[in-house]
Structure formats: structure tokens, C-alpha cells
Amino acid sequence: MSTLATASRYRLWVFTAALLLCSASIKPVQDRVTACLARNPSIDPDLLYFASPGAVRSLSLGYQSLLADLYWIRAVQYYGRREEAARRQVRYRNLAALLDITTTLDPRMMDVYRAGSSFLAEPEPIGAGQPEESLKLLDKGIGLYPDEWRLRFDKGFVYFWALKDFKKAGQVWLEASRIRSAPPWMEGLAAMALSRGGAVETARALWERQYQNSASREVKENAKNHLLSMQVDEMLWTIEFLAGKYAERHGGYPANLDDLVRSGYLKAVPVDPSGVAYDYDPRSGRAVLSPETRVRYLEVPYDYREAFLQKLASLFPK
Amino acid sequence: MGHLGSDVPMRILAIARNTFRENIRDKILYNLILFALIMILSSIALGQLTLGLESKMIIDLGLTSVSVFGTLIAIFIGISLVYKEMEKRTVYALLAKPVHRWEFIVGKYLGLLFTLLVNVVIMAIGIALTLLYQGGTETATFARLLPAIYLIYLSLALTTALALVFSTFSTPALSALFTLFLWIIGHFNADLLQFANLTKSATVGWVAKSLYYALPNFSNFTTLDSRNIIQSAAHAQAIDAGAILWITAYGLLYCCGLVTVAIAVFSRRDFK
């Protein structure tokens, strides 16, 4: 009896030791696996097993509402994982198809039309650079919701920002302004876009509207980055302009931005929207964003530097 | 025999009560409820990935869980309802008592329906609590969940009736397969009708149309006014009450028909 009890206790110790050993080994082994995989990152085959929205709908067995959510999550992940996207042959080849399937499974997902069209229309590398697909998605939504002004607002945005077709953008916004629920500023926006040369002001107004009205965090963040980038551009051009004015008076560019403050050209040393000082080059009189900046700079596609400098010159006392 | 006739409801209720107790003791049932509740709660986590569609995700995942797990319970318990009694030979003891065979079948069916009702109610409370925890849901949204939950329950009643029929003459494995296949086919009934309208052969068209009416039409319980019922609940859209009445009539008729078949098969079985 005592031998049996000893054997049983011995077995218990062996099993406990084995369990502890296995548990302790899991972490180092998993870390090694992760390290091996990181050395040879797999190339995403970027396959869409079910490309037909109708087929996916038929196979959903009545659960298309949840399936639509899952396809939407997949589309957001497909778009949001930028490192993975950069490894694909075509960055966002299946994005439009994923959004099409999502909106076929559940055509009432307004946020999918709005945020999805933004993902598609944004130029690469931020977005898919597929404004035509973005318009198709929005038209699908407009067909279902003809009285929804926000979809037409987004459609005009795609024409304005991605396709640079200001006239068409103005026409779409004018259509939107005639919808009963449209806000009063829609008509002004249409007028600005339809007038020649109003591109920058319209762009700024658009990003502000998107920032204020969008329910999507990603769309809001993108709008904020565009607004901040315009702010940065204008500040850099202002520094360049003032450094030129300083050089005209003192025979050379200021040694640093403090000189511009001391000479009365600026009230304080300018900082970027994240609070980091700009890097200034005294040889060229130009400033750039510091590498430490937390501003996510997006290049403004409208070249209005000359127009902006002329405006500054007209405001600057002779 | 007169005595046998007067206590029919009591005997059916006694069988139903025992079936319910037996189901509640079944550990699989608890696991499924727990799993369904975990799925509903996980919708909160998944909702974070949907960019502003958290409530919709909770409703979609919650109602789908109610439907999928309810169907699993209906199939896996329904198929063993009668078979288990025969396998354990407890049916002999039961039928030796003054109980009609049809009372046994109806009692078993009602017992499982009550089990499913309890499950559906628990899961519905789970969804409502999840929505309350998430916040920002209007009171009207909770009311909109009810028609969807009701139609899911009706479809579960139909699935149970199917499983019960197979349970009277087949093994659990085969019964599960048959029920599952019919459940899947039942979602494609509309395609059968479309095929019947498209085909040039009158015979094929007639066969397809007959199958359309004969097979259980599960899409009746998922689609209303060409809108998915779960989607309508998730988007808090009104549902046609008249249509729900007709769907209820269809569900009751089909279930009555299937229970009658189960009774007919079970009555002809030889237990000697």
C-alpha cells in the first residue's frame, strides 16, 4: 500500500515537472518562431476567394448582416495594415471588391459608403488611388439613399480632391444643396468650387467639414492631417518670405529664427502644430519640418506657393 | 379509456416538464449557452474594429449567436429526443403506462420548445445587457429586436420538428445530417421557385415548384419585405406586422404537419 502511495506521489511530481517545463518552454520557442517569421515576412497572396457579392449573399444562409460586418472589418484591416499593403504587388487591389461585397450584404451601412469611398479615393500611398471605384461605391449608395446629402458631399469631394474636376465637384455639391436636409453651407461650397481659382479655400473648407462632420475616426484623422499640412506649408512659406525681406535689409539671411523675432518680423519663434520648432537653414533662408515633429505631413497637391507669397507681399508694408 | 382521455393535457405537460428537466441537466446545453454569451460579449471587442458600427456589430453577432446556437441545440437535442428513450428502453416503461404515443411525441416536442425558449430569452437578455453596457442605444432599438428574436424562435421550432421526425426512425448521426441538409436547402427555396419559372420543361417546372412548397422554407424567417430580419433589427427599421402573422401561420402549419408525421411514424413502430 505504501509502495503504491509512493509511486503515485512520484508520478504526480513527474507530471508537475513536465507541465512546468512545457509551460516555461512555450515563450522562448514562440519568440524563436516569431523571429524566424520576421526574417522572411510572408508575401500576402492578396486573394479574394469569393469575388461575387451575389454568391456571398446566397451562401450566407440568412446571416448576411453579420457577414457584412466581418467583410467591413476585413476591408478596414486590409486598408489599415500599411506595411502589409506595401508588400503586396498591387497595394489595394481587392479593396473595392471587399467594399462592394460589404454593401451588397448590407446595403444600409452608410459608414461603409462614406469611409470606404475615402479609402479608395485618397492617392497612394495613403489610399488606394482608385477614385473611379470610389465614385462607383458612392453611386451605389446614392441609388439606395437618393435623399442623403452626405453621400453627394463625399462624391463632390472625390471629384474635387482626387480627380481635380472642380466643375463636376461643384455640380454634384449643387445637386446636394437642393436636398431638403442639406446644410446651408453646401450651396456656398458649390459656388466656391464652380468659381475659378477658389481651389485652396474650397479644399480647406472641405477638410474642415470632413473633420467636423465625419463619424469615422480614420476619416477625421486624415482630414486633420491635411489641415495641419496646409498650415505647415503656409508657415514654411511665410518664414521663407520673411527671411528674404530680412536679407534685403541686412544683406544676408538671418542666422536663426530668433533674429526674425528680434528684428520685429515675427512675434515669436514659430513652432509646428505639434509644438516642435522648425529646422532653419541660414544659407538658403528656408525652413523645414524637424525630424522630431509629430505632425503627419501629407503633401498638398495644389501648388499655391506663388499665389500665397504674392498675397504675403501685398500685405507686407513697403 | 375515458380516464385516459380526460387527463391528456396533464400527461403531455408532465412529459414536456420531464423533457425540459432532462435537457437542463444536459451539460452540452450549458456549454452552448456559455459559448453564446461569450460570443455576444466578444462583439464588444470586435465592435472596436468596425469604425463606428459598435451597436450594429453587437446586434448582428448577438442575433446570429441566438440563431446558430439555438439551431445547434434544436438539432443535437431534437435528434436524440425519441431515439435516446428507445435506446435506453425507457420508452417501454413509459408506454406501459396509460399514455398515448402521440402524447409522448407532443410532450417531447413541447419540452424541447420550452428549453429553446429559455435559451433564447437568456441570450436576448445577454444582447440587451451588452447594448446597455455599450451605451448610446435608443429604447426603440430594443423593441426592434423583438420581431427578429420571435422569427428566430419560430425557425428553431421548425428545426426541432424536423429533428423530431428523423429521431423517430433514424440514428442520431443520420438524423443530424438530414436535419442540417434540410435546414441548408430551406435557405435556397427561392432559387427553386426561380428555377421553376425559368425552365422550359413543364414537368421539371412542376417538380421544382412542388419541392418549393414541400421543403421547409427557412428563408421565410430570415427575410421580410426583401430585407434581412437581423439587418432590420440592427438598423432599427419597422417591420410589417401583417407579414409576421402570415409567417407565424406558416411556421405553425409546417410544425403541426411535421409533428403529425412524427406521431404517425412513431405509432407504427414495433417495440416488441
Side-chain angles (χ1 to χ4, degrees):
Chain A
M1 192 67 189
S2 134
T3 321
L4 271 176
T6 313
S8 165
R9 205 175 303 134
Y10 174 73
R11 263 202 305 274
L12 182 71
W13 277 110
V14 170
F15 287 143
T16 310
L19 179 70
L20 286 174
L21 188 71
C22 289
S23 309
S25 310
I26 288 285
K27 188 188 177 299
V29 171
Q30 176 61 60
D31 289 348
R32 288 293 292 271
V33 172
T34 311
C36 288
L37 291 177
R39 270 203 302 275
N40 304 306
S42 61
I43 294 167
D44 182 1
D46 199 13
L47 292 176
L48 200 61
Y49 293 103
F50 295 98
S52 156
V56 178
R57 193 188 164 97
S58 295
L59 293 171
S60 67
L61 297 175
Y63 299 120
Q64 60 255 49
S65 200
L66 179 66
L67 210 55
D69 297 345
L70 297 179
Y71 264 98
W72 173 229
I73 290 175
R74 202 182 150 199
V76 171
Q77 300 298 311
Y78 184 79
Y79 173 73
R81 291 181 183 164
R82 295 184 188 283
E83 284 180 16
E84 197 177 292
R87 288 203 298 272
R88 292 184 202 124
Q89 268 189 335
V90 180
R91 198 176 281 260
Y92 293 117
R93 185 175 53 190
N94 284 321
L95 184 60
L98 284 169
L99 294 167
D100 190 23
I101 293 172
T102 308
T103 50
T104 301
L105 287 169
D106 187 350
R108 292 177 196 81
M109 291 170 85
M110 180 64 72
D111 288 356
V112 178
Y113 297 112
R114 300 205 66 205
S117 65
S118 163
F119 298 166
L120 284 168
E122 274 288 321
E124 287 195 87
I126 300 292
Q130 298 167 13
E132 285 81 11
E133 293 295 338
S134 173
L135 290 173
K136 265 191 221 165
L137 181 68
L138 285 167
D139 281 336
K140 191 175 174 183
I142 290 168
L144 198 74
Y145 293 103
D147 297 331
E148 182 50 75
W149 66 269
R150 290 176 301 173
L151 292 174
R152 284 193 165 80
F153 169 67
D154 292 342
K155 187 177 171 183
F157 201 99
V158 175
Y159 275 117
F160 185 90
W161 191 254
L163 295 170
K164 314 274 186 294
D165 189 342
F166 307 139
K167 195 176 165 195
K168 189 75 187 160
Q171 284 167 352
V172 174
W173 284 329
L174 205 59
E175 277 171 30
S177 71
R178 288 181 191 133
I179 294 172
R180 193 186 290 268
S181 57
W185 49 260
M186 186 59 80
E187 207 165 13
L189 197 67
M192 269 208 292
L194 287 169
S195 71
R196 280 179 180 277
V200 177
E201 283 70 25
T202 317
R204 200 190 311 271
L206 277 170
W207 289 123
E208 273 166 9
R209 293 296 173 198
Q210 274 227 336
Y211 182 69
Q212 285 159 11
N213 292 317
S214 179
S216 158
R217 204 177 53 210
E218 289 224 350
V219 173
K220 239 179 165 48
E221 184 68 24
N222 186 43
K224 191 178 94 178
N225 288 334
H226 276 286
L227 283 167
L228 294 182
S229 301
M230 290 176 98
Q231 199 180 321
V232 166
D233 270 349
E234 288 173 9
M235 182 41 86
L236 295 177
W237 296 334
T238 306
I239 292 171
E240 181 190 335
F241 174 79
L242 294 176
K245 287 291 166 192
Y246 181 98
E248 278 174 21
R249 188 182 287 183
H250 298 93
Y253 290 121
N256 50 48
L257 294 178
D258 285 319
D259 285 351
L260 286 177
V261 178
R262 274 192 288 276
S263 308
Y265 287 102
L266 285 170
K267 284 182 181 163
V269 173
V271 289
D272 70 26
S274 68
V276 177
Y278 292 102
D279 279 355
Y280 171 71
D281 177 15
R283 282 169 300 176
S284 63
R286 291 192 170 196
V288 289
L289 269 174
S290 160
E292 276 92 52
T293 185
R294 288 184 299 280
V295 173
R296 189 159 178 206
Y297 180 79
L298 304 167
E299 200 173 331
V300 179
Y302 295 97
D303 188 10
Y304 66 106
R305 181 174 168 272
E306 289 310 317
F308 186 82
L309 290 174
Q310 276 174 19
K311 197 173 154 192
L312 275 181
S314 69
L315 293 171
F316 200 78
K318 297 279 179 193
Chain B
M1 205 62 189
H3 173 72
L4 205 63
S6 61
D7 287 338
V8 168
M10 294 310 293
R11 285 196 300 274
I12 291 176
L13 274 180
I15 295 169
R17 199 166 46 234
N18 278 318
T19 309
F20 175 67
R21 279 189 194 144
E22 192 188 330
N23 289 336
I24 291 302
R25 278 198 297 268
D26 201 329
K27 286 196 173 65
I28 293 171
L29 203 65
Y30 289 131
N31 286 340
L32 287 173
I33 292 178
L34 187 70
F35 197 39
L37 285 176
I38 289 169
M39 272 203 77
I40 290 168
L41 293 174
S42 69
S43 62
I44 296 175
L46 278 174
Q48 308 294 316
L49 303 174
T50 58
L51 299 184
L53 297 172
E54 288 89 352
S55 310
K56 183 180 181 295
M57 185 76 206
I58 291 169
I59 294 172
D60 286 342
L61 195 54
L63 291 180
T64 303
S65 300
V66 172
S67 175
V68 169
F69 292 107
T71 305
L72 288 176
I73 292 169
I75 293 177
F76 288 105
I77 297 188
I79 51 169
S80 58
L81 269 182
V82 178
Y83 185 83
K84 211 158 73 180
E85 299 276 358
M86 290 192 283
E87 198 60 10
K88 290 180 180 172
R89 304 192 179 273
T90 43
V91 73
Y92 293 92
L94 197 70
L95 295 178
K97 290 179 179 166
V99 174
H100 287 297
R101 288 192 181 194
W102 71 267
E103 290 169 358
F104 173 74
I105 293 291
V106 173
K108 282 274 169 195
Y109 181 60
L110 292 181
L112 183 48
L113 279 195
F114 188 65
T115 311
L116 285 169
L117 184 67
V118 171
N119 277 308
V120 168
V121 169
I122 291 172
M123 292 188 207
I125 291 171
I127 300 172
L129 289 176
T130 316
L131 282 172
L132 278 176
Y133 172 79
Q134 196 253 343
T137 308
E138 290 170 19
T139 321
T141 308
F142 292 100
R144 299 273 189 249
L145 292 179
L146 294 176
I149 291 170
Y150 172 68
L151 289 185
I152 288 171
Y153 182 69
L154 267 185
S155 79
L156 296 181
L158 184 53
T159 312
T160 309
L162 273 177
L164 182 71
V165 170
F166 293 122
S167 169
T168 54
F169 64 83
S170 184
T171 61
L174 282 176
S175 299
L177 273 179
F178 293 149
T179 313
L180 193 66
F181 286 156
L182 275 176
W183 182 81
I184 293 170
I185 292 166
H187 284 93
F188 292 96
N189 256 16
D191 293 334
L192 268 176
L193 187 63
Q194 207 174 2
F195 177 66
N197 292 333
L198 284 174
T199 184
K200 285 181 180 147
S201 158
T203 318
V204 174
W206 183 85
V207 170
K209 213 167 237 178
S210 305
L211 281 172
Y212 169 73
Y213 288 112
L215 292 169
N217 195 342
F218 278 100
S219 58
N220 276 351
F221 308 101
T222 59
T223 313
L224 206 60
D225 301 338
S226 71
R227 293 194 311 237
N228 180 269
I229 188 79
I230 296 179
Q231 255 165 39
S232 297
H235 293 289
Q237 285 174 321
I239 282 168
D240 179 13
I244 291 190
L245 275 178
W246 281 112
I247 294 168
T248 306
Y250 176 86
L252 286 177
L253 273 176
Y254 214 108
C255 288
C256 283
L258 285 173
V259 173
T260 312
V261 172
I263 290 167
V265 175
F266 190 67
S267 301
R268 293 172 71 88
R269 284 205 65 151
D270 189 2
F271 292 115
K272 282 173 191 168

